[in-house]
Each structure stands twice: as C-alpha cells, then as structure tokens.
C-alpha cells in the first residue's frame, strides 16, 4: 500500500537516490568543461553562450514540468527525466563545434530542470505523508552527490578522456534510475494521514496563494544567489584579494559546500525543534553574518570560517522554500519556486562581476549577505 511504513521508507530511499545521482552527474559534467572547451576550440565568450543552453533548457522545462507531474504523476516524470539526463550527459564530448555543444546542452539542461521539479514534487508528497520535515535530507543527498562527483571527476580527469568519463556517468545514472525508478513506479504517490489531508492537498490557486508561492520562490532565489556566487567567486576572492595559494583558494568552496551538506543533513532535527519560520530567520541571519565575515575579513582563515558559516546558514532555506511552495500549490508551486531559485543561481555570478567592476570583489560579495538578510525578513514577515 502507498501509505504503509515499508512503502514510505522505500520511497524515501529511492527519492534520496535520485537527488544524489542528480548532484553526482551534474558535478561530473562541470569538472570536464575545460576539456570540452579545448575540444570545441571555443573562446571564453563562445563557451559562455553554449553554457547558456543548460540554463535555458532548465528554465523552460521547469515551467512545464509542473503540468506534466499533475497529468502523469511526479514519479513517472522523475524516472523519464532521469533517463534523459543520464543519456544526455554523454553527448558533449561528441560535439566539435560551439553550436552543436549548445544544442546538446539545451537537452541536458531540459532534463536537469525537469528532474529537479519532478523529484522535489515527489519529495513534497512524501513529506506530507510522513508528517516530518525531512526535505533538507534530500537536498543533503544532492550536495553530497555533487561533492563526490566533483572529487572523483578531478581524480579521473587525468586518466580518462571526457568521452569515457561522461559515458561512465551515463552508466551510473541509468543504473540508479533502474533500481530507484522501479520503486517509484511500483508505489503510487503516498496519501497523507486523514487529519493532514486538507493541509497537505494543494490549495486553490487564488491570488493570495499565488502571491505566497512567489514569496517562497524569492527565498529560494536569495539562497541560490549565494550558492552561485560562492561557486564562481569565492576562490578568486581568496586568491586575488587575500593572496591565498591555489590549494587554499580551492578549499574555500569546499568549506562552503561541506558546511551546507552538514547543515542539510541535520535540517530535519532543526526544523522539528524550531519550526520552518524560525529556521528561515535563523538561517538567513547566520548566512548574512557569515558572508560579511567572509567577504570583509583581512585574514584567510577567518574568510574560510565565514564561508563555512554562510553554508550552514543557507543550507535549509531552499529546501524549506520549495517544500512550502509545493504544499501550497503542488507541482506548480515547486516549479515556480525552483525556477526562481535557479534564476537566482544564474543571476549571482554575473551580478557579482558587475558590482566588482564598479567597486571591488569584497564589496560585491556582500550582496550575498544582503540577500540572505532579505530572506530573513521575508521569513519573519510570512510567519
């Protein structure tokens, strides 16, 4: 039965596996971008345009996946998008021109965006059925998968060609999909307990509901802005402004990502003790303080500490925002919050660059603290 404890446990394991696989595959692709650039003889600008295919495909598909989940169910859509993602990650090494690379990355981005909306929708349904705030644990699996994918990718980059490496990612993705997807397809969407049925069911999408979904999407945007900025600019700040070595500079994002993974792994316990509103307020405030420390401190070790504190603060904001949007409006709410969040991740790096040109990189990085404070205010205002 879909609502039995055994079935719910199996669904939780399967959905967690999809989150981890998504992070693993995406990080493995990112590691090989320099090799693909060399293979296609692309300039920096041309490569940037090709990489926009990932973003464009993701954003376009995210807006459509909510409808597909309502029509076919989030479990089926998750499996279909996971298959497409696993197959499409092997395509970039087969291209030898920038237009061809952009085309295959459009497909890859579409699969990535669709999978994110679909398995977040499945996770929202499971959270409602279990009556426990376990959403952060799924996102912890994504973060952990990304760290493992990036680490292994860096280790095998010198031994395996991009074609073999990304083909191996295809095999891993298809194997995970075959095992975890069988569970999703066998078990239907879990039915919440009767006393929570009214709360868990998507509400009528009146103006107030749509406004609240948008507000939760803004929280996701503020969080993802920081993730994108840290990924692209944290190491440069350590190297350029503080004179850190290449190894120490690379450790900056590792500190951030590891702290975020730990924060998400402990997010369920935090949510059970504090509730969603207090968790958002506390997390946003912690991230704002950490980023001010990380961007303005004149010492490398303090900056690394600030990056770690920022990761802890931001860890649970995105999972809470997506879960609340899904509880309000179902897959459409998840799609809206995810699209806004992904938009924040895209907006962060170029915005930091523009501000850095106008002022300085440390000043630009304080914008992460500003948006974290905005998320705090939103969390307090929507309590």
């Amino acid at each position: 039965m879909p609502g039995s404890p055994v079935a719910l446990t199996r669904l939780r394991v399967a959905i967690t596996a999809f989150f981890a696989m998504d992070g693993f595959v995406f990080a493995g692709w990112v590691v090989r971008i320099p090799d693909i650039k060399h293979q296609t003889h692309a300039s920096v600008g041309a490569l940037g345009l090709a990489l926009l295919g990932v973003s464009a495909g993701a954003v376009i598909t995210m807006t459509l996946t909510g409808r597909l989940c309502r029509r076919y169910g989030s479990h089926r859509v998750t499996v279909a998008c996971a298959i497409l993602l696993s197959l499409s990650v092997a395509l970039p090494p087969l291209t030898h021109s920038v237009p061809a690379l952009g085309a295959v990355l459009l497909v890859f981005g579409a699969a990535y965006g669709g999978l994110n909306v679909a398995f977040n929708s499945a996770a929202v349904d499971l959270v409602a059925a279990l009556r426990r705030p376990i959403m952060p644990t799924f996102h912890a699996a994504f973060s952990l998968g990304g760290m493992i994918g990036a680490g292994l990718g860096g280790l095998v980059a010198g031994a395996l060609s991009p074609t073999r490496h990304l083909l191996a990612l295809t095999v891993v993705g298809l194997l995970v999909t075959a095992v975890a997807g069988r569970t999703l397809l066998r078990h239907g969407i879990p039915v919440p307990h009767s006393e929570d049925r009214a709360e868990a069911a998507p509400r009528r999408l009146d103006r107030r509901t749509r406004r609240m979904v948008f507000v939760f999407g803004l929280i996701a945007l503020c969080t993802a802005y920081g993730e994108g900025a840290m990924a692209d600019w944290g190491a440069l700040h350590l190297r350029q402004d503080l004179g850190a070595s290449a190894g120490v500079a690379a450790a900056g994002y590792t500190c951030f990502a590891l702290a975020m993974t730990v924060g998400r792994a402990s997010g369920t316990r935090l949510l059970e003790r504090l509730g969603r509103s207090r968790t958002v307020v506390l997390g946003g405030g912690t991230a704002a303080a950490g980023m001010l420390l990380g961007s303005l401190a004149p010492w490398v070790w303090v900056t690394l500490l600030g990056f770690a504190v920022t990761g802890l603060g931001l860890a649970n904001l995105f999972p809470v925002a997506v879960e609340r949007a899904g509880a309000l409006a179902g897959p459409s709410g998840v799609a809206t919050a995810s699209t806004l969040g992904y938009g924040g991740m895209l907006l962060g790096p170029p915005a930091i660059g523009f501000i850095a040109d106008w002022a300085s990189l440390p000043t630009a990085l304080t914008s992460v603290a500003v948006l974290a404070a905005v998320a705090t205010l939103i969390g307090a205002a929507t309590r």
Side-chain angles (χ1 to χ4, degrees):
M1 295 180 63
S4 68
V6 174
L8 294 179
T9 300
R10 289 175 178 172
L11 282 176
R12 182 175 181 178
V13 172
I15 295 171
T16 300
F18 277 111
F19 271 84
M21 183 272 284
D22 185 46
F24 181 83
V25 169
F26 190 81
W29 142 249
V30 169
V31 168
R32 303 315 295 252
I33 288 178
D35 299 304
I36 302 300
K37 176 182 180 298
H38 177 74
Q39 176 181 300
T40 56
H41 307 288
S43 65
V44 174
L47 178 65
L49 289 176
L51 291 175
L52 280 177
V54 178
S55 307
V59 170
I60 292 172
T61 309
M62 280 179 173
T63 60
L64 299 175
T65 306
R67 300 177 185 176
L68 294 176
C69 289
R70 288 198 307 271
R71 182 168 183 177
Y72 300 105
S74 57
H75 291 185
R76 292 181 180 178
V77 178
T78 295
V79 173
C81 290
I83 293 173
L84 181 59
L85 180 76
S86 301
L87 294 175
S88 61
V89 75
L91 298 178
L94 305 180
T95 63
H96 297 281
S97 67
V98 173
L101 178 61
V104 300
L105 290 182
L106 187 68
V107 177
F108 178 71
Y112 178 76
L115 180 59
N116 274 263
V117 172
F119 63 36
N120 271 295
S121 298
V124 168
D125 293 330
L126 186 59
V127 168
L130 288 173
R131 297 189 297 172
R132 290 192 65 205
I134 61 170
M135 197 71 173
T137 63
F138 296 122
H139 289 262
F142 173 85
S143 299
L144 183 60
M147 292 182 65
I148 295 174
L152 288 179
L155 289 175
V156 305
L160 294 180
S161 66
T163 301
R164 292 182 177 180
H165 179 199
L166 297 188
L167 184 60
L169 295 183
T170 294
V171 173
V172 172
L174 291 177
L175 285 175
V176 172
T177 302
V179 176
R182 185 179 180 184
T183 300
L184 285 191
L185 296 178
R186 178 181 297 177
H187 300 285
I189 295 174
V191 179
H193 291 270
S194 58
E195 61 267 27
D196 291 336
R197 191 183 304 271
E199 179 183 347
R203 298 179 182 176
R204 182 175 177 268
L205 297 184
D206 54 18
R207 182 178 299 178
R208 181 179 181 277
T209 301
R210 289 194 296 267
R211 184 167 62 247
M212 288 303 301
V213 168
F214 181 76
V215 166
F216 288 123
L218 287 180
I219 294 177
L221 185 151
C222 293
T223 305
Y225 177 97
E227 292 187 54
M230 288 298 302
D232 285 18
W233 294 103
L236 182 62
H237 170 57
L238 285 164
R239 189 75 184 271
Q240 171 185 287
D241 301 316
L242 301 179
S245 65
V248 173
Y253 183 71
T254 302
C255 290
F256 172 82
L258 182 60
M260 177 169 280
T261 303
V262 171
R264 286 175 169 173
S266 58
T268 296
R269 182 172 299 178
L270 186 67
L271 286 167
E272 287 177 336
R273 293 192 63 180
L274 300 181
R276 296 180 179 90
S277 296
R278 290 182 180 178
T279 298
V280 170
V281 172
L282 178 62
T286 301
M291 200 61 228
L292 287 176
L293 189 67
S295 59
L296 301 179
W299 304 288
V300 171
W301 70 270
V302 178
T303 297
L304 293 175
L305 177 63
F307 286 178
V309 172
T310 303
L312 281 174
L314 293 179
N316 295 306
L317 270 63
F318 191 94
V320 169
V322 171
E323 188 266 328
R324 285 291 84 197
L328 281 172
S332 296
V334 173
T336 299
S338 298
T339 303
L340 285 170
Y342 197 77
M345 188 171 289
L346 298 179
L347 175 66
I352 295 291
F354 287 131
I355 299 173
D357 285 340
W358 173 70
S360 66
L361 182 53
T363 301
L365 288 173
T366 60
S367 63
V368 175
V370 172
L371 287 187
V374 170
T376 301
L377 295 176
I378 294 174
T382 58
R383 181 172 299 181

